Amino acid sequence: MGLITACAALGAALLTPGPAGAAGSRNEDAYRDLGSVTRLDWMANIASDTSLAAMSLPGTHDTLAIHGGAAAQTQEDFGDSGKTLKAQLEHGIRAIDIRVRVSGGTAFTVHHGVVYQKANFDDVLTEARAFLKKYPSETVVMRLQAECPFEGGGAADCANDPKSVTADDVRNIFGTYVSRYRDLFYAPSVKGDRRAPVPSLKDVRGKLVLGSFDSVKSDSYGIETFNKNQEDHWAAPTVQQKWDYVKENVDRAVGDGKDEMYVTYTSASKGLSRLPFEYAGGYAQEQGGVRTEVAGVNYRLMKYLNGGDSGRVGVVMMDFPGWALVDNIISRNNGNIPKGGGDRAIWLVNSNKTYVNSQYRRCMVRGPEFDGSKSGGLVTQRECQSKAPSSHQWGAEKPTSFDNKGYFWIKSSNGKCLTVPYNNGTPPSAGTQLFWWDCETRWFSGSQMWNVVPTKLGSVDDAKKSYRFINNWTGLCLSMDPATASATAGKVTQDTCPK
């Protein structure tokens, strides 16, 4: 059995798609609050042979539009020079919409119309490369657009520098970026000779995929069908009409079994009469002395997706997304988790420090105390939560006070250790419920020592990140009680290890 040699390996483990139907009830859950950083590598548990077209990807419309006031801003501001992109990726966003202007005839800067967004294309590519290098299980899909018209244009439009720039020039400048970031791009999508067939996830892990390159007088970049099944009524007259368009396209994506991309923009604006944040987050209106609240598209979509986890919704590009809306889109990938690989003695260790049982998809929890001494209590399981409470968080740590022969403590957030009951010195049998207890350093401690063994689920190509935790004293694995697996506060136990 191989040992994990560094605790850091556990900290970088996957975040699986969360349970559908459980995320979000308030407008704030769908709008302007991306929540905590818990979705760093959610694609790691998706089967590698999954077509990109079969996936559901949360994305942002005008990804870096954080300047220019309410008429131009479309995203929560996490900082200039690509910092906003970094934050979005860390919060689970996997599709981005970048609008560029030619600057000095040789480079791209990021704009939303006439407004410079205090970032350049190098910032975008640098942040994407750093993220994908750190989390190679992921992929990011980019819609790229030449933002400035080559002729004409109005007061709200940007102008290239120099104004004589042509579509050929823009494509050539993009080629210089591809050459400098060759290791980052999914090569077939950026060749410029034809659109690439829709790839599988295994082909694009760790890569930036160009979905389309728009407004450059060429349809030879990107991925086939990326622009085919698209909803982008960006000036829909009302929120209700925009929502109707969004729902229709999402429903089409769910019902269409073909290997084609679907892209839905939930964003819209209508001059100064209805702004992007109002379409996304809703607004209050008063008629005849009666004040009513108009729900935004984000809230409506969140509630709609709360209904279940069946069917891909495709790429969803949003203004001001909230954490629950992002989670509900991610949860639509649950069908792409390999079936038949779950075992109650195999656990997934997430970026938010939760331990999720691979068979029952429940989180290990520091349960109630035995008494008022706070020295110990039961270890139980509950439904996982998008914002994991401290009682759901654990970490592997090597003891330093004695020779532990390569084993680990599994410590709760309160510093207590996962413990097999001492049972008067007799190793307890399979099915025994585990405790959390003060970590022992001076006497028999095998009941708190765990061998952490990476264990694959699914096929070889799935490369799933999962672990067995084998107790040093009993030789049994961390597990769950089948009889209480669906019950809140069901038992976390030890059991025979899977072969």
Side-chain angles (χ1 to χ4, degrees), residues 12 40-41 81-83 85-90 93-94 96 121-140 180-181 183-185 205-208:
L40 290 165
D41 51 356
S81 303
K83 292 184 179 64
L85 172 60
K86 178 177 184 292
Q88 290 180 12
L89 296 177
E90 290 175 344
I93 296 298
R94 293 295 178 270
I96 60 177
F121 198 46
D122 275 307
D123 294 326
V124 172
L125 301 182
T126 298
E127 291 294 350
R129 182 164 61 184
F131 179 82
L132 292 169
K133 184 176 181 179
K134 191 172 183 179
Y135 303 104
S137 61
E138 309 304 287
T139 188
V140 177
R180 287 193 283 123
Y181 293 86
D183 62 326
L184 170 62
F185 285 102
R205 290 195 193 273
K207 297 295 183 181
L208 180 64

Side-chain angles (χ1 to χ4, degrees), residues 63-289:
T63 296
L64 294 183
I66 57 176
H67 296 288
Q73 185 177 358
T74 65
Q75 303 300 327
E76 195 175 349
D77 184 355
F78 291 95
D80 299 333
S81 303
K83 292 184 179 64
T84 290
L85 172 60
K86 178 177 184 292
Q88 290 180 12
L89 296 177
E90 290 175 344
H91 287 82
I93 296 298
R94 293 295 178 270
I96 60 177
D97 175 22
I98 304 297
R99 316 292 183 91
V100 293
R101 166 187 180 265
V102 175
S103 177
T106 60
F108 291 157
T109 52
V110 179
H111 271 246
H112 183 189
V114 73
V115 183
Y116 171 51
Q117 297 302 324
K118 299 185 180 179
N120 57 49
F121 198 46
D122 275 307
D123 294 326
V124 172
L125 301 182
T126 298
E127 291 294 350
R129 182 164 61 184
F131 179 82
L132 292 169
K133 184 176 181 179
K134 191 172 183 179
Y135 303 104
S137 61
E138 309 304 287
T139 188
V140 177
V141 177
M142 177 176 67
R143 182 266 185 120
L144 183 63
Q145 176 170 307
E147 184 75 342
C148 308
F150 297 110
E151 53 189 38
D157 293 314
C158 57
N160 288 312
D161 173 28
K163 292 182 179 180
S164 58
V165 163
T166 66
D168 286 342
D169 295 329
V170 174
R171 296 196 301 271
N172 289 334
I173 293 170
F174 177 64
T176 66
Y177 284 102
V178 171
S179 296
R180 287 193 283 123
Y181 293 86
R182 195 171 300 278
D183 62 326
L184 170 62
F185 285 102
Y186 174 59
S189 69
V190 296
K191 286 183 176 180
D193 55 352
R194 68 180 184 91
R195 285 186 177 264
V198 178
S200 296
L201 184 57
K202 64 176 177 289
D203 300 319
V204 296
R205 290 195 193 273
K207 297 295 183 181
L208 180 64
V209 180
L210 184 65
S212 66
F213 192 6
D214 298 333
S215 302
V216 291
K217 299 182 180 180
S218 172
D219 193 38
S220 298
Y221 291 87
I223 300 297
E224 291 176 357
T225 71
F226 188 84
N227 288 341
K228 178 182 178 182
N229 307 299
Q230 186 178 99
E231 153 49 31
D232 191 15
H233 284 84
W234 57 270
T238 67
V239 171
Q240 180 63 53
Q241 286 174 286
K242 179 62 185 180
W243 164 241
D244 290 341
Y245 290 129
V246 167
K247 181 179 179 298
E248 180 183 13
N249 209 51
V250 166
D251 286 344
R252 287 179 59 221
V254 171
D256 187 353
K258 296 191 293 292
D259 189 36
E260 294 186 350
M261 301 291 293
Y262 272 79
V263 181
T264 301
Y265 289 84
T266 67
S267 52
S269 63
K270 193 167 177 59
L272 297 177
S273 63
R274 191 65 66 213
L275 299 167
F277 77 89
E278 293 176 307
Y279 278 90
Y283 59 93
Q285 67 179 10
E286 189 169 325
Q287 291 180 326

Side-chain angles (χ1 to χ4, degrees), residues 10-11 15 36-39 347-356 362-367 379-397 409-418 436:
L10 293 181
L15 176 70
S36 55
V37 178
T38 59
R39 309 169 195 86
W347 296 75
L348 311 173
V349 180
N350 295 341
S351 304
N352 62 351
K353 300 183 179 180
T354 55
Y355 283 37
V356 181
R362 309 276 284 188
C363 277
M364 185 167 73
V365 174
R366 185 181 76 246
V379 176
T380 63
Q381 53 77 16
R382 291 177 181 265
E383 184 177 354
C384 299
Q385 299 181 27
S386 295
K387 293 186 177 180
S390 61
S391 61
H392 289 215
Q393 294 180 318
W394 303 81
E397 179 179 314
W409 278 330
I410 306 300
K411 296 181 74 172
S412 175
S413 60
N414 68 351
K416 307 294 185 177
C417 278
L418 180 66
W436 54 270

Side-chain angles (χ1 to χ4, degrees), residues 444-499:
F444 172 74
S445 57
S447 64
Q448 295 182 334
M449 294 290 100
W450 299 86
N451 183 8
V452 182
V453 182
T455 305
K456 281 189 180 297
L457 292 174
S459 70
V460 173
D461 282 343
D462 295 330
K464 294 167 70 66
K465 296 180 180 178
S466 49
Y467 303 90
R468 288 178 288 164
F469 298 90
I470 306 172
N471 187 257
N472 171 242
W473 181 34
T474 66
L476 298 176
C477 276
L478 179 66
S479 186
M480 270 179 53
D481 171 36
T484 59
S486 61
T488 297
K491 298 177 182 178
V492 170
T493 62
Q494 60 169 355
D495 211 334
T496 303
C497 294
K499 296 181 180 179

